[in-house]
Every structure is written in structure tokens, then in C-alpha cells.
Amino acid sequence: MTNKDKRKIVDTEISIHPEVKDRISDFQKQCLIDEIKSLPPIKEGEINISTDYIFDMGDNYEVSIFIRNGLAKSIVLDNMEFVVINEKKQILGKKTFNLREAGGIPAHTVRPWKICFEKEEIALGKNDVKKLKVLFNTKGTEFKKSMKVEFENLPSKISYNDKQKYTKFLEGLPIIEDGQFSMCDYDVNKTKEGGISVTVVIRNGVGRKINIEKVPLTIFDADKKMIASGTFYLDNVAINPYKARIYKFSFAKEELYNQDINLKKWEVKFDAVKNISTGDEKNDEEK
């Protein structure tokens, strides 16, 4: 007797990449929607990549793909390998693509995307390019689910330009995988009082709220000289699941090791962040 998969079928909506959204006509969008409707259904918790066509563009071969997210949260995909086969299922070429370029894919949506093979990457021979198939190689690729995080504490009166700068910085950070937590420096500058201020972006890729109590950090200037080092003790600092927050840490002038500072470049090192806990621990103990 076998256990039946009781997961529900996911109804997915189309999600066009923000950078190309304005360049797609209503007719093109409707064509994509019709193509998506013809795809086999996916279930809750599944991530699926389907290929549509391969087309000879002259300089290269263009492949249309659909990335479907059956998870209840946004994702960003990492490197994925695709294989080109002919009618006899012979492999004519393979290539790994960084699908992070496709951007964050919201929960229960489909992201149309295109990948390209160079002509020399496919041994076409006498095969008809219209009869080739492109498959997502699940065996040859390490499938990593990477979480798209968004800011949760940007000031309501922040200017549009500053908001764009923060958002662009966040999107340009290394991928954070599901279950990971990270801190990275956004800016280091001198204060009016002669001290040093460090702006830090903290990301929570964990599925639970994270509390932070201590943050040890050390700052080096462009000449590799240590500027300041210390541990900051935080009260009631919590980051919600799959969110990012901005915090500023400041060293007073008298806490600096050297007043001759070159801040054209800087480096901030975070020792292991101390006393990180999930926000649900207290509630769990009470239950």
C-alpha cells in the first residue's frame, strides 16, 4: 500500500521581471499566459523549470524557459545546468546558467526567462534545431533554494533615490540560502564629532524571527590599519523571517586607534555574532 501525495496543486500567476515588464506588450503577455496554462501542474513545495522552445538567432541559440515557484515564499535560484538533446535523446550540448539574473520569484508565480547557448556549445551536426529539446538537468546540478529578502525597517520618509540605493545594494549581495543569516557593511564614514559610523545590512534567511544581542565588529581603512574594534550590545533587536534590516553602529572619537584614517576604502570584519536566538523560544517554553 503506497502513501498518496496529498499536496495541493498550486495555482500560479505570471511574474514578469521588473526590468522587462515595460517592454512586453499585452499581446505578448497573454501569449505567455496561454503557454503557462499548457504546462503540467505543480504541487505545493515544488520548484519546476520548463523549457518552451529553442530558436536560431544567428549568433546563438535562444531558449525560452518558465521557472515556477510552488513554495509559499519568494526564491532566487543559483547555478542550473541545462542539456540539449536530439530526437534520439543524444546529448548535443550542456551549459550551466546563473538563474539569479532572473531575479526574485514570488511565491506561487511563474517567471518567463530566456537563456542562450553559443553556436559552438551545441554540436548540431545534421540535426534540425526545431526538433531539439532542452532539459533541466536535475542530476547534474546542485539545486539550491535561495531566499529573496526585503527590507522591513526603511524610514517612511526616506527619499526615492536613497530607497533605490538600499534596494540595489540588497539585491547585489551574495545569495543567501534558506536557513542562513548574514551581516554585511553598507557604508563607513566619519561623524561630526570625529568618530566613525558603520551602516550594516542584516539579512535573515531563517524561517523564524531572529533576536540579536551582541555584534562584535572591527573596522580597517584603505591602508589595512585597524580603525576601531568592539562589541555592541543590542536590546530588543529582532529580524522577521526572510527580511533585512539596516542598523548603524558608532565608535566615539576617543575609541579610535588612529586619527589618520583613509576611508576611500574600508573593510568591516564581523566576528561570530553572539547570542542569536529565535524569537519563538520563549513562547515554546511556555507552551
Side-chain angles (χ1 to χ4, degrees):
M1 189 173 178
T2 58
N3 292 324
K4 291 184 178 180
D5 191 342
K6 297 182 180 180
R7 292 178 299 169
K8 296 179 180 179
I9 299 297
V10 176
D11 292 326
T12 53
E13 296 181 356
I14 190 169
S15 171
I16 306 297
H17 193 287
E19 292 184 4
V20 299
K21 193 173 185 178
D22 295 336
R23 301 199 298 267
I24 293 182
S25 66
D26 290 339
F27 175 75
Q28 290 173 310
K29 185 176 180 179
Q30 187 57 52
C31 288
L32 289 171
I33 293 174
D34 292 339
E35 291 179 64
I36 290 169
K37 288 180 179 178
S38 68
L39 297 174
I42 63 170
K43 295 182 179 181
E44 289 180 342
E46 291 182 344
I47 299 174
N48 176 272
I49 302 176
S50 303
T51 59
D52 184 23
Y53 67 81
I54 179 168
F55 188 75
D56 190 341
M57 298 295 291
D59 295 332
N60 54 38
Y61 298 113
E62 183 180 272
V63 181
S64 173
I65 67 174
F66 294 106
I67 306 171
R68 293 186 290 169
N69 178 15
L71 300 180
K73 50 197 173 187
S74 299
I75 61 168
V76 179
L77 299 184
D78 202 348
N79 294 326
M80 302 289 161
E81 185 179 62
F82 290 82
V83 178
V84 181
I85 62 173
N86 60 13
E87 291 179 289
K88 298 179 180 179
K89 296 185 178 180
Q90 297 172 322
I91 296 177
L92 305 182
K94 59 178 65 176
K95 185 176 181 179
T96 298
F97 295 89
N98 185 358
L99 294 186
R100 187 183 184 190
E101 297 175 357
I105 304 166
H108 298 172
T109 63
V110 184
R111 173 63 50 84
W113 196 244
K114 292 179 181 179
I115 57 176
C116 292
F117 287 83
E118 300 301 324
K119 286 291 183 75
E120 61 270 18
E121 292 172 334
I122 297 178
L124 184 62
K126 296 181 179 181
N127 294 281
D128 184 351
V129 67
K130 295 180 180 179
K131 295 181 179 181
L132 300 183
K133 290 185 177 181
V134 181
L135 306 177
F136 167 52
N137 186 7
T138 56
K139 294 182 180 180
T141 305
E142 183 180 357
F143 193 86
K144 295 182 179 179
K145 288 184 290 185
S146 303
M147 312 318 298
K148 178 179 175 60
V149 297
E150 299 175 346
F151 282 116
E152 66 174 353
N153 73 325
L154 290 179
S156 58
K157 295 183 180 180
I158 190 174
S159 70
Y160 176 79
N161 288 338
D162 285 342
K163 184 176 181 180
Q164 288 295 99
K165 288 179 181 178
Y166 281 127
T167 301
K168 186 176 181 180
F169 177 81
L170 182 64
E171 293 176 347
L173 291 175
I175 290 173
I176 183 170
E177 295 179 26
D178 192 8
Q180 288 186 338
F181 174 88
S182 79
M183 299 183 67
C184 37
D185 51 298
Y186 173 79
D187 193 19
V188 175
N189 53 59
K190 290 186 176 181
T191 65
K192 294 180 180 179
E193 296 77 18
I196 292 291
S197 174
V198 184
T199 304
V200 174
V201 174
I202 306 176
R203 296 182 294 167
N204 179 15
V206 183
R208 305 176 75 180
K209 183 167 65 176
I210 293 293
N211 296 322
I212 306 173
E213 296 179 11
K214 298 179 184 179
V215 178
L217 60 84
T218 302
I219 311 171
F220 298 87
D221 70 2
D223 300 320
K224 304 297 182 181
K225 294 186 297 185
M226 184 184 294
I227 300 174
S229 182
T231 299
F232 292 86
Y233 294 81
L234 309 178
D235 292 325
N236 299 320
V237 174
I239 305 176
N240 287 311
Y242 313 116
K243 296 295 183 180
R245 295 180 71 88
I246 293 175
Y247 285 97
K248 287 189 177 181
F249 302 100
S250 296
F251 290 94
K253 182 177 181 180
E254 55 271 18
E255 294 177 311
L256 305 184
Y257 296 135
N258 197 319
Q259 298 298 321
D260 183 20
I261 299 171
N262 180 1
L263 283 183
K264 290 183 178 179
K265 291 183 180 180
W266 70 83
E267 180 181 3
V268 177
K269 290 188 177 180
F270 302 94
D271 295 329
V273 180
K274 306 296 183 182
N275 293 19
I276 296 180
S277 60
T278 60
D280 296 331
E281 287 181 352
K282 184 176 181 181
N283 292 333
D284 291 341
E285 292 175 359
E286 293 174 351
K287 288 180 181 179

